[in-house]
Coordinates of all heavy atoms in Angstrom, one line a residue:
Q171 N 20.9 -35.3 -31.9 CA 20.1 -36.5 -32.3 C 18.7 -36.3 -31.8 O 17.7 -36.6 -32.6 CB 20.7 -37.7 -31.6 CG 20.1 -39.0 -32.0 CD 20.8 -40.2 -31.3 OE1 21.5 -40.0 -30.4 NE2 20.4 -41.4 -31.8
A172 N 18.5 -35.7 -30.7 CA 17.1 -35.5 -30.2 C 16.4 -34.5 -31.0 O 15.2 -34.6 -31.3 CB 17.1 -35.1 -28.7
A173 N 17.1 -33.4 -31.4 CA 16.5 -32.4 -32.3 C 16.0 -33.0 -33.6 O 14.9 -32.7 -34.1 CB 17.4 -31.2 -32.5
R174 N 16.9 -33.8 -34.2 CA 16.6 -34.4 -35.5 C 15.4 -35.3 -35.4 O 14.5 -35.3 -36.2 CB 17.8 -35.2 -36.0 CG 18.9 -34.3 -36.6 CD 19.9 -35.1 -37.3 NE 20.9 -34.2 -38.0 CZ 20.6 -33.6 -39.2 NH1 19.5 -33.8 -39.8 NH2 21.5 -32.8 -39.7
R175 N 15.4 -36.1 -34.3 CA 14.2 -37.0 -34.1 C 12.9 -36.3 -33.9 O 11.9 -36.7 -34.4 CB 14.5 -37.9 -32.8 CG 15.3 -39.1 -33.0 CD 15.1 -40.1 -31.9 NE 15.3 -39.6 -30.6 CZ 16.4 -39.6 -29.9 NH1 17.4 -40.2 -30.5 NH2 16.5 -39.1 -28.7
S176 N 13.0 -35.1 -33.2 CA 11.7 -34.4 -33.0 C 11.3 -33.7 -34.2 O 10.1 -33.3 -34.3 CB 11.9 -33.5 -31.8 OG 12.8 -32.4 -32.2
L177 N 12.2 -33.4 -35.2 CA 11.8 -32.6 -36.4 C 11.6 -33.4 -37.6 O 10.8 -32.9 -38.5 CB 12.9 -31.6 -36.6 CG 13.1 -30.5 -35.6 CD1 14.3 -29.7 -35.9 CD2 11.9 -29.6 -35.6
E178 N 12.1 -34.6 -37.7 CA 12.0 -35.3 -39.0 C 10.5 -35.8 -39.1 O 9.8 -36.0 -38.1 CB 12.9 -36.5 -39.0 CG 12.7 -37.6 -38.0 CD 13.7 -38.7 -38.0 OE1 14.3 -38.9 -39.1 OE2 13.9 -39.4 -37.0
S179 N 10.1 -35.8 -40.4 CA 8.7 -36.2 -40.6 C 8.6 -37.1 -41.9 O 9.6 -37.2 -42.6 CB 7.8 -35.0 -40.8 OG 8.2 -34.3 -42.0
A180 N 7.5 -37.8 -42.0 CA 7.3 -38.7 -43.1 C 5.9 -38.6 -43.7 O 5.0 -38.2 -43.0 CB 7.6 -40.1 -42.7
D181 N 5.8 -38.9 -45.0 CA 4.6 -39.0 -45.7 C 4.2 -40.5 -45.7 O 4.9 -41.3 -46.4 CB 4.7 -38.4 -47.1 CG 3.4 -38.4 -47.9 OD1 2.4 -39.0 -47.4 OD2 3.4 -37.8 -49.0
I182 N 3.1 -40.8 -45.0 CA 2.8 -42.3 -44.9 C 1.3 -42.5 -45.4 O 0.5 -41.6 -45.3 CB 2.9 -42.8 -43.5 CG1 1.9 -42.1 -42.5 CG2 4.3 -42.7 -43.0 CD1 1.9 -42.7 -41.1
R183 N 1.1 -43.7 -46.0 CA -0.2 -44.2 -46.3 C -0.4 -45.5 -45.5 O 0.5 -46.3 -45.4 CB -0.3 -44.5 -47.8 CG -0.7 -43.3 -48.6 CD 0.5 -42.5 -49.0 NE 0.3 -41.6 -50.1 CZ 1.1 -40.6 -50.5 NH1 2.2 -40.4 -49.8 NH2 0.8 -39.9 -51.5
W184 N -1.7 -45.8 -45.1 CA -1.9 -47.0 -44.3 C -3.3 -47.6 -44.6 O -4.2 -46.8 -44.9 CB -1.7 -46.8 -42.9 CG -2.7 -46.0 -42.2 CD1 -3.9 -46.5 -41.6 CD2 -2.7 -44.6 -42.0 NE1 -4.6 -45.4 -41.1 CE2 -3.9 -44.2 -41.3 CE3 -1.9 -43.6 -42.3 CZ2 -4.2 -42.9 -40.9 CZ3 -2.2 -42.3 -42.0 CH2 -3.3 -42.0 -41.3
L185 N -3.4 -48.9 -44.4 CA -4.7 -49.6 -44.4 C -4.8 -50.1 -43.0 O -4.0 -50.8 -42.5 CB -4.6 -50.7 -45.4 CG -5.7 -51.8 -45.3 CD1 -7.1 -51.2 -45.5 CD2 -5.5 -52.9 -46.2
A186 N -6.0 -49.8 -42.4 CA -6.3 -50.3 -41.0 C -7.4 -51.3 -41.1 O -8.5 -51.1 -41.8 CB -6.7 -49.2 -40.1
I187 N -7.3 -52.5 -40.5 CA -8.3 -53.5 -40.3 C -8.8 -53.5 -38.9 O -8.1 -54.1 -38.0 CB -7.8 -54.9 -40.7 CG1 -7.2 -54.9 -42.1 CG2 -9.0 -55.9 -40.7 CD1 -8.1 -54.5 -43.2
P188 N -9.8 -52.7 -38.5 CA -10.2 -52.6 -37.1 C -10.8 -53.9 -36.6 O -11.5 -54.7 -37.3 CB -11.3 -51.5 -37.2 CG -11.8 -51.5 -38.5 CD -10.7 -52.0 -39.4
Y189 N -10.6 -54.1 -35.3 CA -11.2 -55.4 -34.6 C -12.6 -55.2 -34.4 O -13.4 -56.3 -34.5 CB -10.5 -55.6 -33.3 CG -9.0 -55.9 -33.3 CD1 -8.1 -55.1 -32.7 CD2 -8.6 -57.1 -33.9 CE1 -6.7 -55.4 -32.8 CE2 -7.3 -57.4 -33.9 CZ -6.3 -56.6 -33.4 OH -5.0 -56.9 -33.4
A190 N -13.2 -54.0 -34.2 CA -14.5 -53.8 -33.7 C -15.6 -54.6 -34.6 O -16.5 -55.2 -34.0 CB -14.9 -52.4 -33.6
P191 N -15.6 -54.5 -36.0 CA -16.7 -55.1 -36.7 C -16.6 -56.6 -36.7 O -17.6 -57.3 -37.1 CB -16.5 -54.6 -38.1 CG -15.5 -53.4 -38.0 CD -14.7 -53.7 -36.8
F192 N -15.5 -57.3 -36.3 CA -15.4 -58.7 -36.4 C -16.1 -59.3 -35.2 O -15.9 -58.9 -34.0 CB -14.0 -59.1 -36.4 CG -13.3 -58.9 -37.7 CD1 -12.8 -57.6 -38.0 CD2 -13.0 -59.9 -38.6 CE1 -12.2 -57.3 -39.2 CE2 -12.4 -59.6 -39.8 CZ -11.9 -58.3 -40.1
S193 N -17.0 -60.3 -35.4 CA -17.7 -60.9 -34.3 C -16.9 -62.1 -33.7 O -17.0 -62.3 -32.5 CB -19.1 -61.4 -34.8 OG -18.9 -62.6 -35.6
G194 N -16.1 -62.7 -34.5 CA -15.3 -63.9 -33.9 C -16.1 -65.2 -34.1 O -15.6 -66.2 -34.1
T195 N -17.5 -65.1 -34.2 CA -18.3 -66.3 -34.4 C -19.0 -66.3 -35.7 O -19.6 -67.4 -36.0 CB -19.4 -66.3 -33.2 OG1 -20.2 -65.1 -33.3 CG2 -18.7 -66.4 -31.9
R196 N -19.0 -65.2 -36.5 CA -19.7 -65.2 -37.7 C -18.7 -65.2 -38.9 O -17.6 -64.8 -38.8 CB -20.5 -63.9 -37.8 CG -21.5 -63.7 -36.7 CD -22.8 -64.6 -37.0 NE -23.9 -64.2 -36.1 CZ -25.1 -64.8 -36.1 NH1 -25.3 -65.8 -37.0 NH2 -26.0 -64.4 -35.4
R197 N -19.2 -65.7 -40.0 CA -18.3 -65.7 -41.2 C -18.1 -64.3 -41.7 O -19.1 -63.6 -41.9 CB -18.9 -66.6 -42.3 CG -18.0 -66.8 -43.5 CD -18.8 -67.6 -44.6 NE -19.8 -66.9 -45.2 CZ -19.6 -66.0 -46.2 NH1 -18.4 -65.8 -46.7 NH2 -20.7 -65.5 -46.8
E198 N -16.9 -64.0 -42.0 CA -16.6 -62.6 -42.6 C -16.7 -62.7 -44.1 O -16.3 -63.7 -44.7 CB -15.1 -62.2 -42.3 CG -15.0 -61.6 -40.9 CD -15.7 -60.3 -40.8 OE1 -15.5 -59.4 -41.7 OE2 -16.5 -60.1 -39.9
P199 N -17.3 -61.7 -44.8 CA -17.4 -61.7 -46.2 C -16.0 -61.7 -46.9 O -15.0 -61.0 -46.4 CB -18.1 -60.4 -46.6 CG -17.9 -59.6 -45.4 CD -17.8 -60.5 -44.2
A200 N -15.8 -62.6 -47.9 CA -14.5 -62.6 -48.6 C -14.4 -61.3 -49.5 O -15.4 -60.6 -49.8 CB -14.5 -63.8 -49.5
E201 N -13.2 -60.9 -49.8 CA -13.0 -59.7 -50.6 C -13.6 -59.8 -52.0 O -14.1 -58.8 -52.4 CB -11.4 -59.5 -50.7 CG -10.7 -59.3 -49.4 CD -11.3 -58.2 -48.6 OE1 -11.3 -57.0 -49.0 OE2 -11.9 -58.6 -47.5
R202 N -13.6 -61.0 -52.6 CA -14.3 -61.0 -53.9 C -15.8 -60.8 -53.8 O -16.4 -60.3 -54.7 CB -14.0 -62.4 -54.6 CG -14.5 -63.6 -53.8 CD -14.3 -64.9 -54.5 NE -14.7 -66.0 -53.7 CZ -16.0 -66.4 -53.5 NH1 -16.9 -65.7 -54.0 NH2 -16.3 -67.4 -52.7
E203 N -16.4 -61.2 -52.6 CA -17.8 -61.0 -52.4 C -18.1 -59.5 -52.4 O -19.1 -59.0 -52.9 CB -18.3 -61.7 -51.1 CG -18.2 -63.2 -51.1 CD -18.7 -63.7 -49.8 OE1 -19.9 -63.9 -49.6 OE2 -17.9 -64.0 -48.9
V204 N -17.2 -58.7 -51.7 CA -17.4 -57.3 -51.6 C -17.4 -56.7 -53.0 O -18.2 -55.9 -53.4 CB -16.3 -56.6 -50.8 CG1 -16.5 -55.1 -50.7 CG2 -16.4 -57.2 -49.3
L205 N -16.4 -57.1 -53.8 CA -16.3 -56.5 -55.2 C -17.4 -57.0 -56.1 O -18.0 -56.1 -56.8 CB -14.9 -57.0 -55.8 CG -13.7 -56.5 -55.2 CD1 -12.4 -57.2 -55.8 CD2 -13.6 -55.0 -55.3
D206 N -17.9 -58.2 -56.0 CA -19.0 -58.7 -56.7 C -20.3 -57.9 -56.4 O -21.1 -57.5 -57.3 CB -19.2 -60.2 -56.5 CG -18.2 -61.0 -57.2 OD1 -17.4 -60.5 -58.0 OD2 -18.1 -62.2 -56.8
Y207 N -20.5 -57.7 -55.1 CA -21.7 -57.0 -54.6 C -21.7 -55.5 -55.2 O -22.7 -55.0 -55.6 CB -21.7 -56.9 -53.1 CG -23.0 -56.4 -52.6 CD1 -24.1 -57.3 -52.1 CD2 -23.3 -55.0 -52.4 CE1 -25.3 -56.8 -51.6 CE2 -24.5 -54.5 -51.9 CZ -25.4 -55.4 -51.5 OH -26.6 -54.9 -51.0
Y208 N -20.5 -54.9 -55.1 CA -20.3 -53.5 -55.6 C -20.7 -53.5 -57.1 O -21.4 -52.5 -57.6 CB -18.9 -53.1 -55.4 CG -18.6 -51.7 -56.0 CD1 -19.2 -50.5 -55.5 CD2 -17.7 -51.6 -57.1 CE1 -18.9 -49.3 -56.0 CE2 -17.4 -50.3 -57.6 CZ -18.0 -49.2 -57.1 OH -17.7 -48.0 -57.6
R209 N -20.3 -54.4 -57.9 CA -20.6 -54.4 -59.3 C -22.0 -54.7 -59.6 O -22.6 -54.0 -60.4 CB -19.7 -55.5 -60.1 CG -18.2 -55.1 -60.2 CD -17.5 -56.0 -61.2 NE -17.3 -57.3 -60.6 CZ -16.2 -57.7 -60.0 NH1 -15.2 -56.8 -59.8 NH2 -16.1 -58.9 -59.5
R210 N -22.6 -55.6 -58.9 CA -24.0 -56.0 -59.1 C -25.0 -54.9 -58.6 O -26.1 -54.8 -59.2 CB -24.4 -57.3 -58.4 CG -23.7 -58.5 -59.0 CD -24.4 -59.8 -58.5 NE -24.6 -59.8 -57.1 CZ -23.8 -60.2 -56.2 NH1 -22.6 -60.7 -56.5 NH2 -24.2 -60.2 -54.9
H211 N -24.6 -54.1 -57.6 CA -25.5 -53.1 -57.0 C -25.1 -51.7 -57.3 O -25.4 -50.8 -56.5 CB -25.7 -53.4 -55.6 CG -26.3 -54.7 -55.2 ND1 -25.5 -55.9 -55.2 CD2 -27.6 -55.1 -54.9 CE1 -26.3 -56.9 -54.9 NE2 -27.5 -56.5 -54.7
A212 N -24.4 -51.4 -58.4 CA -23.8 -50.1 -58.6 C -25.0 -49.0 -58.6 O -24.7 -47.9 -58.1 CB -23.1 -50.1 -59.9
A213 N -26.1 -49.4 -59.1 CA -27.2 -48.4 -59.2 C -27.7 -47.9 -57.8 O -28.2 -46.8 -57.7 CB -28.4 -49.0 -60.0
E214 N -27.5 -48.8 -56.7 CA -27.9 -48.4 -55.4 C -27.0 -47.4 -54.8 O -27.3 -46.8 -53.7 CB -28.0 -49.7 -54.5 CG -29.0 -50.7 -55.0 CD -29.0 -51.9 -54.1 OE1 -28.3 -51.8 -53.0 OE2 -29.6 -52.9 -54.4

Side-chain angles (χ1 to χ4, degrees):
Q171 187 179 12
R174 284 190 174 279
R175 276 201 306 266
S176 69
L177 291 173
E178 64 183 338
S179 65
D181 183 351
I182 65 172
R183 276 82 162 171
W184 72 88
L185 164 64
I187 308 298
Y189 293 117
F192 289 77
S193 70
T195 58
R196 302 286 194 178
R197 186 181 73 82
E198 278 293 308
E201 299 307 295
R202 60 174 177 78
E203 293 179 86
V204 176
L205 295 174
D206 289 345
Y207 190 97
Y208 175 68
R209 286 192 289 266
R210 292 197 313 270
H211 297 80
E214 297 178 12

